[in-house]
Amino acid sequence: QLQLVESGGGLVQSGGFLRLSCTASGAELNNYDIGWFRQAPGKEREAVACKSETRSGGSTAYANSVYGRAAINIDPAKNTVYLQIPYLEPEDSGIYYCAFRPLLSGRCVITTPQAYTVWGQGTQVTVTS
């Protein structure tokens, strides 16, 4: 069965750099929409980025909160997707999750968590001010 495991979280200073990993087992990364989400205490889970890859191409999208900063990339050989965020601020703190859903159109979009069907356990990110 498809399983997702996040890693790379921790304590980071403001202005620092974050690199998270999401490794999938039980399925290939192609033909899925791959999403990164985060959830801070007392707040709803929100989308951060998404990415899809097919033989004919792919797409990437970012939430307004990280647009111009974040980067999502895939390493097919390792079956791993990465999320990188530079210039971190305390508002970036939270539990970060990766999630998959079946590829529908070949172009991912920023959407609600309810659209995704498989989730990792999450990794905590704390950005100090």
Side-chain angles (χ1 to χ4, degrees), residues 23-48:
T23 299
S25 61
E28 303 295 326
L29 300 182
N30 60 306
N31 295 322
Y32 286 92
D33 288 342
I34 304 170
W36 280 99
F37 295 78
R38 67 188 182 191
Q39 186 168 19
K43 297 183 179 180
E44 295 183 344
R45 191 171 301 183
E46 64 175 0
V48 177

Side-chain angles (χ1 to χ4, degrees), residues 28-29 74-80:
E28 303 295 326
L29 300 182
I74 293 174
D75 185 344
K78 297 182 178 180
N79 228 36
T80 298

